[in-house]
Amino acid sequence: MYGHDFPVPDDGPAGGLLDQVEAAEAALRAAAGRGRPGPEDGSTADTDPQDYFAALIDADQKIEPRDWMPEAYRKTLIRQIAQHAHSEIIGMQPEGNWISRAPSLKRKAILLAKVQDEAGHGLYLYAAAETLGVTRDELVEMLLSGRQKYSSIFNYPTLTWADVGAIGWLVDGAAIVNQVPLCRCSYGPYARAMIRVCKEESFHQRQGYEILYVLASGTPEQRTMAQDAVDRWWYPSLAMFGPPDGDSTHSQQSMAWKIKRFSNDELRQRFVDMCVQQAEVLGLRLPDPDLRWNESRQAYDYTQPDYAELMRVIAGDGPCNRQRITHRRRADADGAWVREAAAAYAAKRTAERTSDRATVLA
Amino acid sequence: MTVPRQGRAGWPLWEVFVRARRGLSHTHVGSLHAPDAELALRNARDLYTRRQEGVSIWVVPAQAITASSPDEKDAFFEPAADKVYRHPTFYPVPDGAAHL
Amino acid sequence: MEYLLGLGDDALVAAQRLGEWVTVAPELEEDVALANIALDQLGAARLLLGYAGELEGAGRDEDALAYLRSDREYRNCLLVELPNGDFATTMAKLLLLSAYQLPLYAALSVGADERLAAIAGKARKEVAYHLDHASLWTVRLGDGTEESHRRMQAAVDELWPYTVELFAADPAAPVDPAGLRSAFLANVEPVLETATLDRPADGWGPDGGRAGLHTEHLSYLLAEMQVLHRAHPGARW
């Protein structure tokens, strides 16, 4: 409802990906239709839970909250879903930075709606994580104390309005490429959350792309602003897919459990291949002199991001790490008295109802 | 250093059910935290119907829901009868969809 | 035109202030709620300013009116431009604003100007929700803890004088604000009572907003809101 009141110059960058989300949703329903694996009469009493879990995964069935699951599977999911939720919440800050200064009222409305969506996505994801037996308060505490991470991309500053466009196009674009396969994740609540998130995110990417499109075809100053933003956000966006496959610690087990469906490098390549044509439509340059089509691979060759920088930012030494977490801690601390008041009010009402009932009984 | 989060001790979990359109039954769409039912209802409206996904909302304290095991096979669960059923279905499945 | 600017500027400045809450609300659910209310106010502001520009007939659209007027040309009431303060102050502002906007939009929605009536009809439904949200929180903070009660009472006391301006008589207006005060009080007083808060005594009230004489705060708010737009004259966004 906020995303369709502007023209999209081509088919729209997220068009094909949305089809994949629809396909994932259809697959989820189909799997539900097939029912669970095992004997026809459903007698599985003598089946070992581990075998049953493995059979569900093999049959592309969803694992649901009360199913038995290996402890490592549960922990991996909690870590990944929580990190994803934290990223949505911290990710509100760099864009929220421009709500007050958005250059038109329409842009202000779209940006407000987008940042609000991110809060909503964080909440869907926290709810999905809670089905695994962890509370949201515990997850928030781990974010605030630095024991759980969020996506390192949000530790870069938004210096100009064009950065809002670049985040939408590149950062949300990379996020969608990452997230679309998660719509087929083996854990049901996470897969369902991702289907909802991906559908809503398609407008995010379009609005960012459209911001850059207007800037790139605007005044010379606007065009410079747009190119500068793409120059700064390109490599950090490539780094969002994580370390190269050889260095990725969690990948193999996650692939076996069907939490993860493609490797970091596969997804990064997919993203690069998408962006090249989109950049051409914008008339903006991707800041990689070695970017060129490789006929034999049927893919673009490109320069890898600086993984040493990625590791530094993950370790806490990016431009905005301290600022982002301080902001979140302050908001949380400033809100404590409000949360306490609401809890106290609810407790009083419950006590009143209890004493009313006691009076009636007496 | 972890400092326990302040102030949320009394904010229970609520399960949210939305009627997408007239003629359909309420469908579970997810959960949220709120201090009481009135705020839970408002928060549910803001969170789960931002894109006009519903015409009617129910909120239910998660603790008030008693769940059976999904497959009625206790061997497969650590059933903890006191554990609430938290099973967010994040989109409404229209009534009439097969085998759901 | 001046009257429409007053309505539109109230909504726009309120939206700008509410937008400042995004990422710093007391709980994530409240980030979402405050953003919703900000979007409602912003949506009403765009319709009202767009209509005001058309009536003026000088080619100014919603953005020209929002971004290229100085604080002396803004016609909003002082209440909406005051800094957000703590969450109690923001909820008290929202309570007082929505308790005033609700009967105002209700009256405008059945007024003679059809275009304005349509805008008001839409805004009225939204504002009813804002009033509901502010009322729920006023009650919870007023009747919550000692600290929240103290903060909520202080907020209501601080802001009450700014409601005087809202009801200054203007017989030429489509709806005379003076006639709205009883409906406003009927919206606010029961909430304060349920919240165990004292209704402040009536007395002094600062004014001047409708004539472009604002507090010192508005100029800063506009400086921030307009900085990018003004730095690129004539650019499209």
Side-chain angles (χ1 to χ4, degrees), chain A residues 37 48-60 63 68:
Chain A
D48 177 60
Q50 299 199 34
D51 294 343
Y52 186 62
F53 174 84
L56 284 173
I57 298 271
D58 283 348
D60 267 331
I63 306 298
W68 181 91

Side-chain angles (χ1 to χ4, degrees), chain A residues 96-105 108-109 112, chain C residues 8-22 34-35 37-43 45 66-67 74 80-84 93 97 217-227:
Chain A
N97 183 36
W98 282 92
I99 290 174
S100 67
R101 294 171 293 166
S104 73
L105 296 185
K108 190 190 288 289
L112 247 173
Chain C
D9 291 347
D10 281 356
L12 177 57
V13 174
Q16 183 75 2
R17 284 295 187 212
L18 287 165
E20 294 172 15
W21 272 101
V22 176
L34 291 173
I37 296 171
L39 279 167
D40 287 343
Q41 293 282 355
L42 183 54
Y67 288 94
Y74 262 70
V80 292
E81 72 198 41
L82 298 175
N84 280 338
K93 266 169 83 174
L97 177 67
H217 305 294
L218 184 64
S219 174
Y220 287 96
L221 179 145
L222 294 180
E224 183 174 341
M225 187 177 92
Q226 297 175 339
V227 61

Side-chain angles (χ1 to χ4, degrees), chain A residues 27-320:
Chain A
L28 185 143
R29 286 169 193 242
R34 282 198 304 277
R36 56 187 180 73
E40 284 287 303
D41 64 356
S43 65
T44 46
D46 52 349
T47 315
D48 177 60
Q50 299 199 34
D51 294 343
Y52 186 62
F53 174 84
L56 284 173
I57 298 271
D58 283 348
D60 267 331
Q61 290 281 356
K62 299 301 173 196
I63 306 298
E64 296 295 348
R66 287 166 60 90
D67 286 332
W68 181 91
M69 62 186 82
E71 191 54 21
Y73 176 87
R74 198 180 70 86
K75 284 201 166 136
T76 299
L77 275 169
I78 289 176
R79 184 177 50 77
Q80 182 172 335
I81 300 173
Q83 179 169 325
H84 196 157
H86 299 331
S87 298
E88 297 282 357
I89 300 309
I90 297 290
M92 294 166 69
Q93 290 181 40
E95 289 174 285
N97 183 36
W98 282 92
I99 290 174
S100 67
R101 294 171 293 166
S104 73
L105 296 185
K106 185 181 96 173
R107 292 288 176 207
K108 190 190 288 289
I110 293 172
L111 186 58
L112 247 173
K114 180 181 187 235
V115 175
Q116 181 198 39
D117 267 350
E118 279 152 14
H121 295 171
L123 289 170
Y124 303 157
L125 289 161
Y126 282 128
E130 283 189 289
T131 64
L132 291 159
V134 63
T135 69
R136 186 164 119 203
D137 282 348
E138 288 169 325
L139 297 175
V140 171
E141 281 163 18
M142 284 198 273
L143 169 67
L144 297 182
S145 64
R147 283 190 296 141
Q148 281 182 339
K149 303 289 185 196
Y150 54 88
S151 178
S152 60
I153 193 78
F154 300 119
N155 291 316
Y156 292 89
T158 48
L159 301 178
T160 72
W161 171 250
D163 289 23
V164 176
I167 287 185
W169 177 40
L170 295 174
V171 175
D172 291 332
I176 292 173
V177 169
N178 250 327
Q179 289 169 4
V180 164
L182 293 174
C183 297
R184 292 176 182 270
C185 165
S186 60
Y187 188 58
Y190 192 27
R192 291 189 289 271
M194 290 319 304
I195 288 170
R196 187 163 181 145
V197 167
C198 284
K199 286 182 176 178
E200 297 185 0
E201 291 253 343
S202 69
F203 123 62
H204 295 185
Q205 198 196 10
R206 285 181 180 219
Q207 66 87 34
Y209 192 75
E210 209 255 352
I211 286 173
L212 288 180
Y213 186 77
V214 170
L215 292 177
S217 48
T219 66
E221 290 80 8
Q222 286 178 307
R223 195 178 165 72
T224 304
M225 193 193 285
Q227 184 62 56
D228 168 60
V230 171
D231 289 348
R232 281 182 289 111
W233 288 93
W234 173 248
Y235 285 106
S237 299
L238 291 186
M240 283 175 70
F241 295 92
D245 293 346
D247 304 344
S248 181
T249 43
H250 303 295
S251 281
Q252 282 195 348
Q253 180 61 70
S254 287
M255 303 261 276
W257 279 330
K258 295 184 181 173
I259 293 173
K260 205 173 156 156
R261 298 268 176 168
F262 300 96
S263 78
N264 293 351
D265 287 334
E266 280 174 293
L267 292 171
R268 189 164 15 240
Q269 181 72 57
R270 188 178 297 181
F271 176 68
V272 171
D273 293 346
M274 276 175 34
C275 285
V276 173
Q277 185 265 341
Q278 291 166 6
E280 279 168 15
V281 174
L282 290 175
L284 295 174
R285 173 175 37 80
L286 296 176
D288 181 354
D290 297 324
L291 187 70
R292 62 179 58 89
W293 180 251
N294 182 324
E295 189 61 33
S296 63
R297 287 203 308 122
Q298 287 295 299
Y300 283 91
D301 291 338
Y302 62 95
T303 305
Q304 293 288 321
D306 180 351
Y307 293 112
E309 175 181 318
L310 174 65
M311 290 307 145
R312 280 198 303 278
V313 178
I314 290 175
D317 291 336
C320 300

Side-chain angles (χ1 to χ4, degrees), chain A residues 1 25 28-29 32-33 36 44-45 47 49 52 64-68 116-117 120-121 123-124 127-128 130-131 133 136-137 140-141 145 147 189 192-193 196 200 203 332 336 339-340 342-343 345-346, chain B residues 1-8 10-11 13 29 31 33 35-36 47-48 50-53 67-71 73 75-80 83 85-94 97 99-100:
Chain A
M1 103 195 213
E25 189 172 11
L28 185 143
R29 286 169 193 242
R36 56 187 180 73
T44 46
T47 315
Y52 186 62
E64 296 295 348
R66 287 166 60 90
D67 286 332
W68 181 91
Q116 181 198 39
D117 267 350
H121 295 171
L123 289 170
Y124 303 157
E130 283 189 289
T131 64
R136 186 164 119 203
D137 282 348
V140 171
E141 281 163 18
S145 64
R147 283 190 296 141
R192 291 189 289 271
R196 187 163 181 145
E200 297 185 0
F203 123 62
D332 200 70
R339 300 190 296 270
E340 276 160 15
Y345 175 84
Chain B
M1 172 199 70
T2 302
V3 182
R5 197 157 181 247
Q6 294 299 304
R8 271 268 301 261
W11 287 42
L13 187 70
V29 293
S31 59
H33 288 273
D36 56 55
L47 182 59
Y48 288 105
R50 290 200 302 289
R51 288 172 171 77
Q52 296 154 334
E53 291 98 332
S68 72
S69 303
D71 275 321
K73 292 305 302 173
F76 290 99
F77 320 114
E78 290 167 346
K83 208 171 181 185
Y85 188 39
R86 293 185 296 198
H87 179 168
T89 312
F90 282 91
Y91 59 94
V93 177
H99 309 301
L100 290 173

Side-chain angles (χ1 to χ4, degrees), chain C:
Chain C
M1 161 88 184
E2 287 284 306
Y3 184 76
L4 281 174
L5 285 181
L7 297 176
D9 291 347
D10 281 356
L12 177 57
V13 174
Q16 183 75 2
R17 284 295 187 212
L18 287 165
E20 294 172 15
W21 272 101
V22 176
T23 77
V24 294
E27 190 49 279
L28 292 173
E29 282 85 352
E30 197 58 25
D31 274 302
V32 176
L34 291 173
N36 254 355
I37 296 171
L39 279 167
D40 287 343
Q41 293 282 355
L42 183 54
R46 293 179 63 188
L47 294 172
L48 290 162
L49 293 180
Y51 184 32
E54 284 176 37
L55 283 186
E56 184 190 45
R60 291 203 283 183
D61 63 7
E62 61 180 44
D63 286 334
L65 288 171
Y67 288 94
L68 299 174
R69 280 182 301 150
S70 73
D71 58 304
R72 295 280 283 107
E73 297 165 279
Y74 262 70
R75 292 291 176 264
N76 60 281
C77 60
L78 304 182
L79 177 69
V80 292
E81 72 198 41
L82 298 175
N84 280 338
D86 65 4
F87 188 69
T89 309
T90 290
M91 283 302 117
K93 266 169 83 174
L94 187 62
L95 175 71
L96 299 175
L97 177 67
S98 56
Y100 151 74
Q101 284 182 326
L102 186 61
L104 170 63
Y105 284 136
L108 288 171
S109 71
V110 294
D113 183 332
E114 282 183 20
R115 174 87 173 270
L116 181 54
I119 297 172
K122 179 174 184 295
R124 174 193 180 179
K125 289 182 202 150
E126 295 167 349
V127 165
Y129 184 76
H130 307 171
L131 177 61
D132 175 72
H133 190 82
S135 300
L136 287 178
W137 272 115
T138 299
V139 168
R140 276 151 189 76
L141 297 180
D143 192 16
T145 62
E146 259 179 53
E147 179 184 9
S148 71
H149 179 86
R150 175 177 57 71
R151 286 177 183 255
M152 196 68 226
Q153 185 68 60
V156 171
D157 291 345
E158 181 198 339
L159 296 174
W160 192 261
Y162 290 89
T163 62
V164 173
E165 179 189 33
L166 303 176
F167 306 105
D170 179 6
V175 171
D176 187 348
L180 299 171
R181 189 151 191 272
S182 58
F184 163 83
L185 290 174
N187 285 333
V188 171
E189 285 174 341
V191 175
L192 296 182
E193 190 181 336
T194 309
T196 70
L197 295 167
D198 294 328
R199 176 213 190 278
D202 296 319
W204 168 82
D207 63 6
R210 303 292 183 214
L213 293 163
H214 291 276
T215 66
E216 292 174 349
H217 305 294
L218 184 64
S219 174
Y220 287 96
L221 179 145
L222 294 180
E224 183 174 341
M225 187 177 92
Q226 297 175 339
V227 61
L228 177 60
H229 187 98
R230 283 186 185 265
H232 299 266
R236 281 183 57 246
W237 300 97

